[in-house]
Amino acid sequence: MKNIILIIFQLVCFYAITACEREFPYEIESVTPPELHVIVKYSDNQPAVNARVRLFDSLDDFIAGNPDLASRQTDDAGLAVFTKEQLGSPGIFYVSASLGMLDNSNSSYITPYILLNDGHTKFFTWIE
């Protein structure tokens, strides 16, 4: 009797699992538009207001100072925002930040690989 109950229970469980509708959406719906947020600060961690932030898509262009991919001024929080349209395609970008005689040559200037599919990527750099 126990074997019959066990078999019936297994059949009910099998039916319950296989009868479920299994449609999964494969497309990703972007909730947050992809953007690169560059935060520029002084060495004392205060925001660098009105700093010029330039993006390059190759190290050669960055070193040579060739025409940049995009350029922005930082706001009161030291933030410069670059949109997906400005960045163009996924990849690594090179960041130049300057304000007067100060620049970020002694700080981070290479972004991580940016996919540009969803969300904000934050990149911090310091000017001295």
Side-chain angles (χ1 to χ4, degrees):
M1 183 69 174
K2 286 184 181 179
N3 287 340
I4 293 174
I5 294 173
L6 181 60
I7 291 172
I8 292 171
F9 178 73
Q10 289 175 339
L11 287 173
V12 168
C13 288
F14 177 76
Y15 177 75
I17 291 172
T18 58
C20 293
E21 190 173 317
R22 295 180 178 242
E23 289 185 31
F24 298 105
Y26 291 107
E27 292 187 31
I28 296 174
E29 293 183 25
S30 181
V31 177
T32 306
E35 295 175 343
L36 173 61
H37 290 208
V38 177
I39 297 101
V40 183
K41 296 187 174 196
Y42 294 108
S43 58
D44 63 357
N45 277 337
Q46 294 300 312
V49 180
N50 292 324
R52 182 177 183 207
V53 179
R54 299 172 65 199
L55 285 186
F56 300 88
D57 56 1
S58 76
L59 184 58
D60 291 336
D61 287 344
F62 174 78
I63 291 170
N66 289 339
D68 51 46
L69 182 65
S71 181
R72 286 271 188 254
Q73 294 287 117
T74 58
D75 62 13
D76 291 341
L79 174 67
V81 177
F82 297 91
T83 64
K84 179 179 181 177
E85 291 75 25
Q86 292 170 313
L87 300 174
S89 61
I92 294 173
F93 299 93
Y94 302 86
V95 179
S96 170
S98 61
L99 181 61
M101 297 299 292
L102 305 175
D103 65 26
N104 68 327
S105 59
N106 292 325
S107 183
S108 304
Y109 61 88
I110 303 173
T111 69
Y113 190 90
I114 299 175
L115 294 174
L116 294 178
N117 58 1
D118 188 34
H120 299 164
T121 300
K122 293 185 179 180
F123 181 78
F124 292 85
T125 191
W126 286 263
I127 59 173
E128 304 179 82

